[in-house]
């Protein structure tokens, strides 16, 4: 059968993947990504930790290399990520901590002007803010995570970031990318209500937000409540926002060690999730976070890796870039959408 990007395109969706820039040296990787993906996003190359690694220097090299690869393969690019509490260069946290709000805003304008300015007109959507909600029990009434940006600028930092991006590159859609909004933990309904209330507020204030991104790092230890997920997506669409599935992958740590059992478990998760996602007309794209198993971040993460330490089968292609059952589940979900 043909590629994931072709199957997705036939149903009006875009399939793509995050690529770590260091991987683009591998010919077999380049061939697989060129074949399967209609859109790319950089795992780290467009983050502040790379672009502003040293004060006063701007390193667009890794991002430019990925952009050149995408352009050579007719692939679109999305940007990740402008405002996040992680992947900050060591010199930035102290700088924000000693900045007045005006100085912090000036720094934010300089950073977004550099990143979104350098790739102006080449990025379809930017994750303007990433993971802004506190996880689990909520300490602040507004549910915001305590971050260096919140400390320096107050809750208005989120609106401000969207306004700055819109000034720098009006052609790029602004996305609020969030994690842990997909599966059913006790506090999920409250978290989703926070998202919807905040989105309504931003739209009411005229904030130029166009899309909401669900990271979708699905875990095998939690259920997927299709009805509640369907309702959440419909409510976001109902606000006139588009939806991006930005970092889809499947940890298989709850499944037994044998490969067939793990592939069955992961394809079940994928089918349950994609059937709902592909049926929601506001969903524009489905991006997996990496595309082949050896590259998944899950094996390095303390609470996502398998207790038995086996490399996880989280992505559509295996270590030989062969199409796994999960690839076929994606292909069928796009065909049936
Ligand atoms: O490339 C350098 C290498 O030169 C150096 O030797 C090595 C040791 O310091 O670091 C390498 O950089 C690492 C980079 O990944 C490249 O793979 C960084 O240390 C490491 O922190 C970085 O981790 C990335 C992480 O975000 C933080 O930026 C992961 O690859 C990436 O998968 C992960 O992605 C995040 C999304 O941005 C947001 N959602 C969650 C997702 C998974 O954590």
């Amino acid at each position: 059968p043909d590629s994931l990007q072709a199957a997705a395109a036939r149903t009006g969706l875009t399939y793509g993947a995050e690529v770590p820039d260091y991987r683009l040296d591998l010919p077999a990787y380049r061939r697989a990504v060129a074949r399967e993906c209609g859109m790319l996003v950089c795992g780290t190359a467009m983050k502040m930790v790379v672009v502003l690694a040293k004060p006063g220097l701007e390193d667009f090299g890794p991002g430019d290399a990925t952009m050149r690869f995408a352009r050579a393969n007719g692939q679109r690019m999305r940007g990740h990520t402008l405002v996040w509490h992680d992947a900050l260069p060591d010199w930035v946290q102290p700088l924000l901590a000693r900045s007045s709000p005006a100085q912090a805003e000036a720094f934010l304008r300089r950073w977004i002007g550099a990143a979104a300015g350098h790739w102006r007109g080449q990025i379809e959507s930017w994750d303007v803010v990433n993971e802004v909600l506190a996880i689990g029990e909520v300490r602040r009434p507004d549910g915001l995570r305590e971050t260096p940006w919140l400390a320096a600028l107050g809750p208005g930092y989120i609106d401000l970031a969207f306004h700055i991006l819109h000034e720098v590159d009006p052609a790029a859609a602004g996305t609020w990318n969030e994690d842990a909004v997909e599966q059913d933990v006790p506090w999920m309904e409250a978290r989703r209500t926070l998202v919807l209330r905040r989105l309504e507020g931003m739209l009411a204030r005229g904030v130029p937000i166009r899309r909401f991104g669900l990271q979708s790092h699905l875990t095998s230890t939690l259920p997927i409540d299709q009805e509640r997920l369907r309702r959440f997506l419909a409510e976001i669409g109902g606000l006139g926002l588009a939806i991006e599935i930005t970092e889809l992958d499947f940890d298989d740590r709850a499944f037994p060690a044998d490969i067939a059992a793990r592939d069955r478990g992961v394809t079940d998760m994928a089918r349950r999730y994609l059937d709902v996602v592909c049926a929601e007309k506001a969903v524009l794209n489905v991006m997996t976070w990496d595309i082949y198993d050896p590259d998944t971040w899950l094996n390095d993460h303390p609470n996502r890796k398998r207790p038995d330490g086996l490399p996880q089968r989280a992505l559509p292609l295996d270590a030989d870039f062969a199409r796994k059952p999960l690839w076929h589940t994606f292909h069928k979900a796009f065909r049936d959408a």
Side-chain angles (χ1 to χ4, degrees), residues 182-198:
E182 307 88 6
Q183 288 176 274
D184 285 74
V185 288
W187 34 267
M188 186 50 67
E189 280 315 287
R191 185 171 178 82
R192 285 173 172 166
T193 300
L194 275 174
V195 168
L196 292 164
R197 292 297 84 75
R198 177 162 293 278

Side-chain angles (χ1 to χ4, degrees), residues 135-153:
I135 284 286
E137 67 296 327
V138 172
R139 279 179 296 286
R140 289 174 52 99
D142 63 9
L144 291 183
R145 180 195 296 260
E146 303 284 356
T147 76
W149 298 104
L150 181 72
L153 287 162

Side-chain angles (χ1 to χ4, degrees), residues 18 20-22 43-44 47 49 80-81 84 86-87 130-131 177 179 215 217 247 289-290 295 297 301:
E18 171 266 328
D21 57 284
Y22 57 75
T44 52
K47 288 173 176 170
V49 70
H80 179 79
T81 175
W84 192 24
D86 197 347
N130 189 40
E131 303 172 14
N177 195 40
D179 66 345
Q215 287 189 2
H217 293 297
E247 307 183 16
W289 199 249
D290 296 302
D295 263 356
W297 66 288
H301 202 278

Side-chain angles (χ1 to χ4, degrees), residues 39 55 75-76 122 194 219 236-237 243 292 297 304 309 319 322:
M39 181 184 274
Q75 296 161 318
R76 290 132 60 206
Q122 305 167 62
L194 275 174
T219 179
I236 296 170
I243 296 169
Y292 93 127
W297 66 288
R304 306 301 295 255

Side-chain angles (χ1 to χ4, degrees), residues 206-267:
V207 175
I209 177 170
R210 294 284 171 275
R211 304 179 178 187
F212 182 78
L214 291 86
Q215 287 189 2
S216 308
H217 293 297
L218 302 185
T219 179
S220 48
T221 58
L222 287 176
I224 294 170
D225 182 322
Q226 290 185 310
E227 206 28 59
R228 284 184 169 169
L229 176 65
R230 195 188 320 279
R231 194 162 51 245
F232 180 52
L233 297 180
E235 290 194 58
I236 296 170
L239 295 175
L241 291 165
I243 296 169
E244 301 191 86
I245 304 302
T246 52
E247 307 183 16
L248 183 57
D249 53 20
F250 308 84
D251 82 26
D252 66 15
R253 58 202 170 106
F255 304 128
D258 75 282
I259 285 184
R262 285 155 64 192
D263 281 353
R264 213 172 18 259
V266 163
T267 52

